[in-house]
Amino acid sequence: MIAESTNVTPQARERLIGLARRFGAPVTVLRFAPDVADLLQQYTERGRTDLTEVDVRAYAAVMSRDAGVDRLRDEGAAAVHDVPGRRQSVTPGEAADRFTFALCRPPGR
């Protein structure tokens, strides 16, 4: 199962993991590093008015606490991959090119 969303809390991921289990699909998580400096830079660049710097820092703390590799595996993730970003001098497009997902179909379908 592939779902695009920023699901940093166990509650946010629970429904998606449940759907994957229901259909017998493995859960693969693409994890974005919760680097506060990078998040603050993105916040500034995007000109967001619905968040404050305090909100961004709180979000990073939640990501660090609730989206660790061990935690994700305990929740049912078969694989966890860290997505490269600014710190690795990788653009969003370059990062996306590093991940490919093939649709697996049972024989005869």
Side-chain angles (χ1 to χ4, degrees), residues 16-106:
L16 295 172
I17 291 170
L19 282 169
R21 286 184 178 146
R22 179 175 164 202
F23 291 100
V27 175
T28 298
V29 175
L30 301 180
R31 201 169 74 102
F32 296 85
D35 183 81
V36 176
D38 289 344
L39 292 173
L40 288 171
Q41 184 177 351
Q42 287 174 349
Y43 160 74
T44 301
E45 289 171 353
R46 292 176 182 167
R48 303 251 335 237
T49 57
D50 58 327
L51 296 172
T52 66
E53 184 176 319
V54 171
D55 295 329
V56 173
R57 289 181 183 282
Y59 183 78
V62 170
M63 288 172 65
S64 292
R65 183 189 69 227
D66 290 341
V69 174
D70 291 337
R71 175 86 180 245
L72 294 167
R73 288 191 185 279
D74 286 346
E75 290 176 17
V80 178
H81 302 284
D82 286 330
V83 176
R86 288 177 193 234
R87 296 243 174 234
Q88 297 81 20
S89 299
V90 176
T91 67
E94 291 168 339
D97 288 342
R98 294 180 185 203
F99 298 95
T100 59
F101 298 93
L103 181 61
C104 300
R105 294 186 180 168

